[in-house]
Amino acid sequence: MLSSMATGATSQTRGGRPILIVDDDQKIVHLVRTYLEREGFSVVTATDGLAGIAAAREQHPQLVVLDLMLPGLDGFAVMRAVRESAAVPILMLSARGGTADRIAGIATGADDYLPKPFSPAELVVRVQAILRRASPSAASIERRVLADLVIDRGRHEVRRRDDRIELTHAEFWMLVALVDAGGHVVSRDGLLDALYGRGEADVMDRTVDVYIRRLREKLGDDADEPRYVATVRGAGYRAMIDP
């Protein structure tokens, strides 16, 4: 069952649209909702996969906090269905917090992955970091070019001639960070800082590699003969721009 939109935050609601929480654990839903509402976000909730898809289509959330282990459709199925109609950023939650599970979540298309149990304060920080990337400031609304790609921050899109290349928010901002470096090498920690504002252990280092692999696949780039993103062994990655 869907909850009604959060009340009492109309004047301070961030971004206008709600955050959608999809989780069948009512204690977690209540905790996450409480912390998000304290920060001025409006919140809607759903307790299973089908209700989550319906809420996403009806409420047009600015971000989805999505549990992986849901009754009926699991979180991966929900994420695929939601992304068919909107490029909404998704923060995935899961009790399966092993390295392989976290990397699988990112590789499947999540913008971030937080294992249970988690600190609700950390979840809020991650939500804020994702939304900062999704809502660029006026100073960052500009177009950049990388080979035959046009990167438009204001529209949050990448085009090759007339074709739009669909990227997740994390993939898009990782590409922006590389292009902004002007052809200089960006370390994994530097890319993590661009995405989250801080680096995070070896698991997150491996996550950067997953993002880069996914980005290359969508751009049709070859790691051995790169046109857009090159690997600099032992150092990081760089955009194929003459520094």
Side-chain angles (χ1 to χ4, degrees):
M1 178 174 291
L2 304 183
S3 75
S4 60
M5 182 140 339
T7 58
T10 53
S11 63
Q12 60 176 347
T13 295
R14 296 187 175 189
R17 294 177 292 142
I19 290 177
L20 169 62
I21 305 170
V22 187
D23 198 312
D24 61 333
D25 187 325
Q26 290 298 331
K27 291 182 179 179
I28 288 179
V29 170
H30 175 73
L31 187 63
V32 173
R33 180 174 193 154
T34 297
Y35 271 76
L36 288 172
E37 288 180 348
R38 285 177 184 172
E39 293 299 317
F41 294 104
S42 61
V43 177
V44 292
T45 67
T47 56
D48 62 65
L50 289 175
I53 293 170
R57 291 173 177 170
E58 293 169 6
Q59 301 291 341
H60 306 290
Q62 58 179 318
L63 181 142
V64 179
V65 178
L66 176 63
D67 185 30
L68 176 58
M69 305 299 290
L70 292 168
L73 294 177
D74 67 15
F76 290 130
V78 174
M79 181 165 58
R80 287 192 295 269
V82 169
R83 285 270 172 78
E84 286 178 357
S85 57
V88 58
I90 294 174
L91 169 58
M92 185 169 282
L93 305 177
S94 178
R96 301 196 318 221
T99 300
D101 294 313
R102 298 178 71 175
I103 290 176
I106 295 295
T108 306
D111 291 274
D112 200 356
Y113 186 105
L114 191 58
K116 297 178 179 179
F118 58 84
S119 160
E122 180 181 1
L123 182 142
V124 170
V125 169
R126 288 176 182 249
V127 165
Q128 292 169 335
I130 293 171
L131 293 178
R132 279 197 300 271
R133 302 196 308 264
S135 303
S137 65
S140 68
I141 297 177
E142 59 177 311
R143 291 186 177 187
R144 301 294 298 274
V145 175
L146 175 60
D148 58 353
L149 301 178
V150 176
I151 303 163
D152 191 320
R153 300 186 197 216
R155 294 179 179 272
H156 193 275
E157 68 178 21
V158 176
R159 288 187 176 273
R160 184 186 291 115
R161 292 177 289 278
D162 294 329
D163 297 326
R164 178 173 178 172
I165 300 172
E166 297 292 339
L167 301 178
T168 67
H169 287 268
E171 293 160 359
F172 177 83
W173 287 108
M174 187 162 287
L175 179 61
V176 168
L178 289 167
V179 173
D180 280 352
H184 294 283
V185 176
V186 184
S187 69
R188 288 175 175 81
D189 283 345
L191 290 172
L192 287 174
D193 287 344
L195 292 179
Y196 304 112
R198 55 175 172 37
E200 243 191 73
D202 60 334
V203 165
M204 295 304 291
D205 282 346
R206 293 181 62 186
T207 297
V208 168
D209 297 334
V210 174
Y211 279 134
I212 293 293
R213 186 176 71 246
R214 272 187 11 211
L215 179 61
R216 282 172 168 157
E217 288 173 355
K218 293 183 178 182
L219 297 179
D221 206 9
D222 186 339
D224 294 326
E225 297 182 7
R227 185 175 186 187
Y228 305 115
V229 178
T231 301
V232 181
R233 294 191 181 280
Y237 299 93
R238 75 174 191 88
M240 295 296 286
I241 303 170
D242 291 332

